[in-house]
Amino acid sequence: MNHKIKLICSYFLALTVSACNITSSNNLRATGDMGVVIERATGQVQIVNHTSKTALAQIDGLGDLSHASIVYSRDQRFAYVFGRDGGLTKIDILKDKIDKRILQSGNSIGGAISQDGKLVAVSNYTPGGVKVFDAQTLELVADIKATQLLNHEKNKDGSIKRSKVVGLVDAPDQRFIFSLFDSDEIWIADFSKPKLKLTKFTDIGRAPYDALISPDGRYYIAGLFGEDGMALVDLWHPDKGVRRILENYGKGDKKLPVYKMPHLEGWAMAGDFAFVPAVGQHNVLVINTKTWFQEGVIKVHGQPVFVMAQPDNRQVWVNFAFPRNDTIQVIDTQSQSLINTLKPGKGVLHMEFTPRGEHVWMSVRDENLIQIYDTKQQQLLKQIPAISPSGIFFTSRAHQIGL
């Protein structure tokens, strides 16, 4: 082969490689602006892109998603879906398919992923406790059994019942923290060393039903269903034990039937204040996060479920329990007053802000729609069909504590 032929072959080889690279580039998909939407009635999820405001794929076979939540791997590629039937499903959102699925309990209520992304924990009602898995393989790493309920009726198989576990979140220093509904406890599971260390706080208040962790990972706060008030653990100083806050909010007021417990994960923390859903009241409470005393109350349309702040903390968006769940209200955090009321449709279950807050996505279950609003003008931009949508989870959660 002479020199000229070699040059021609090299030229065409370069063109071929370049064309292959272009084709491959067109098929690439980044994960930073993606998300997963739960379609609760059918055991399906939609994979979405919040930049293009489009649905990319639909995946089925995820079991009972009636109370499902999601966390993400550090690289944002894998979504871990926690189903009500005890299913733990690992989804590959680049390949649009289930990577692995296990049934790890009879009834689960959410989960969390560790600080280093290597452990996935699931909180269980049945049997009561927390199971921790290897994030890559879903092999069991630890089985943390909840407190036995010696004075309760036994299970059908004759075994002693254990407390239901709620409010499971990840915390800094490779820890998980969670609440025990029936035994009135808060536990910290420390996985920072080869041997698991459990720290248990007892008699923390009656029936903790849900919990949250502050965005900086310092404060864990459990709501109490059995009494007015909340329980707080300062994770910088766990030796100080559990502190009761807001012990008397709502005392003496006539409470309404509670149609849906508010989700504390959606607490809005803006500056020195937290905006908190009041249980059984048409109120959002304003709490000073320096003193943890209530400083105000905002009357709203119904019983609030999620009270969520935009990423810039300038506004708080609130949805409501049945039968007033067709409405969203917007609160200005400076004036601590209502500034707008929206009517997206029946069954507004969940909201999710884009990472920098220019848009908010809403699941409108009874209309079979996902609605996307501009947060500045608070106007509807687009609707995406979905079958009974509920939770919306963007991949930006991968880099936030407690989400």
Side-chain angles (χ1 to χ4, degrees):
M1 183 181 293
N2 62 34
H3 180 66
K4 183 178 290 188
I5 294 175
K6 285 183 178 180
L7 286 176
I8 292 172
C9 289
S10 297
Y11 174 72
F12 280 106
L13 179 62
L15 284 180
T16 303
V17 172
S18 177
C20 289
N21 286 338
I22 290 172
T23 302
S24 299
S25 297
N26 289 338
N27 291 331
L28 291 177
R29 180 197 289 178
T31 59
D33 60 353
M34 291 173 64
V36 176
V37 179
I38 300 293
E39 294 182 309
R40 60 184 292 159
T42 55
Q44 300 178 135
V45 298
Q46 280 198 35
I47 298 175
V48 298
N49 181 292
H50 58 69
T51 297
S52 61
K53 306 180 190 65
T54 55
L56 305 177
Q58 190 176 59
I59 303 171
D60 60 13
L62 279 82
D64 184 354
L65 300 182
S66 58
H67 194 286
S69 61
I70 291 174
V71 297
Y72 287 97
S73 59
R74 286 166 66 101
D75 60 7
Q76 302 177 326
R77 176 172 178 173
F78 296 102
Y80 299 88
V81 184
F82 309 100
R84 195 58 186 263
D85 57 359
L88 170 58
T89 309
K90 182 182 179 183
I91 293 176
D92 187 333
I93 66 172
L94 291 185
K95 293 185 177 180
D96 301 332
K97 69 175 188 177
I98 292 174
D99 182 78
K100 189 164 187 179
R101 173 174 166 79
I102 61 172
L103 284 174
Q104 57 82 43
S105 77
N107 188 342
S108 59
I109 196 69
I113 190 164
S114 62
Q115 185 178 40
D116 65 2
K118 294 181 179 180
L119 300 174
V120 174
V122 190
S123 57
N124 292 317
Y125 275 6
T126 309
V130 172
K131 288 186 178 180
V132 182
F133 300 88
D134 181 288
Q136 184 173 356
T137 65
L138 298 192
E139 293 179 359
L140 185 65
V141 172
D143 185 357
I144 304 170
K145 299 183 185 302
T147 299
Q148 290 184 326
L149 305 174
L150 300 177
N151 296 324
H152 285 59
E153 182 182 349
K154 290 185 178 181
N155 295 313
K156 291 181 180 180
D157 62 2
S159 61
I160 298 174
K161 284 188 177 180
R162 296 181 181 272
S163 175
K164 295 184 286 290
V165 171
V166 297
L168 170 66
V169 298
D170 62 282
D173 302 323
Q174 203 68 0
R175 293 175 292 176
F176 296 110
I177 182 167
F178 50 92
S179 297
L180 283 68
F181 176 84
D182 302 286
S183 56
D184 305 334
E185 298 176 82
I186 292 174
W187 291 9
I188 300 173
D190 186 343
F191 284 86
S192 63
K193 294 179 174 60
K195 185 177 180 180
L196 167 64
K197 177 184 176 183
L198 285 177
T199 302
K200 302 179 181 181
F201 303 99
T202 60
D203 195 26
I204 59 95
R206 185 71 196 100
Y209 67 89
D210 195 12
L212 65 95
I213 192 167
S214 58
D216 60 3
R218 177 172 181 176
Y219 297 108
Y220 178 85
I221 302 169
L224 302 175
F225 187 66
E227 57 187 272
D228 287 329
M230 298 182 179
L232 178 146
V233 178
D234 184 346
L235 294 174
W236 289 8
H237 304 286
D239 53 297
K240 294 183 178 179
V242 177
R243 175 184 170 189
R244 301 293 294 280
I245 61 174
L246 299 177
E247 287 191 64
N248 294 311
Y249 92 78
K251 282 288 187 184
D253 295 340
K254 182 180 179 181
K255 289 192 174 182
L256 302 169
V258 179
Y259 294 104
K260 182 174 177 61
M261 292 303 298
H263 283 266
L264 297 185
E265 179 196 299
W267 265 31
M269 292 193 176
D272 293 334
F273 297 98
F275 296 80
V276 180
V279 179
Q281 301 175 22
H282 292 181
N283 293 325
V284 170
L285 309 179
V286 182
I287 301 170
N288 187 314
T289 56
K290 290 185 176 180
T291 64
W292 296 107
F293 290 127
Q294 181 181 337
E295 291 202 0
V297 61
I298 302 168
K299 298 289 184 182
V300 290
H301 168 77
Q303 294 179 26
V305 177
F306 284 104
V307 179
M308 302 181 70
Q310 294 175 188
D312 64 3
N313 291 332
R314 187 64 188 269
Q315 294 170 347
V316 166
W317 296 59
V318 187
N319 72 331
F320 301 96
F322 177 86
R324 299 190 174 196
N325 59 3
D326 64 342
T327 300
I328 292 287
Q329 289 191 309
V330 185
I331 295 171
D332 176 79
T333 58
Q334 282 194 310
S335 64
Q336 299 180 5
S337 61
L338 290 174
I339 59 172
N340 203 358
T341 297
L342 307 174
K343 295 284 185 179
K346 293 181 180 179
V348 184
L349 296 191
H350 195 249
M351 298 170 285
E352 183 84 337
F353 293 97
T354 50
R356 299 198 180 196
E358 74 280 6
H359 299 148
V360 60
W361 289 44
M362 302 177 191
S363 57
V364 190
R365 180 196 59 198
D366 298 351
E367 310 288 346
N368 293 311
L369 287 172
I370 302 163
Q371 294 190 359
I372 306 169
Y373 284 79
D374 167 32
T375 53
K376 186 173 183 180
Q377 303 298 327
Q378 294 159 19
Q379 294 180 347
L380 179 64
L381 299 176
K382 188 174 181 178
Q383 299 186 131
I384 298 174
I387 303 170
S388 298
S390 54
I392 303 173
F393 305 89
F394 292 153
T395 55
S396 52
R397 288 171 169 251
H399 307 298
Q400 295 177 270
I401 296 170
L403 292 180

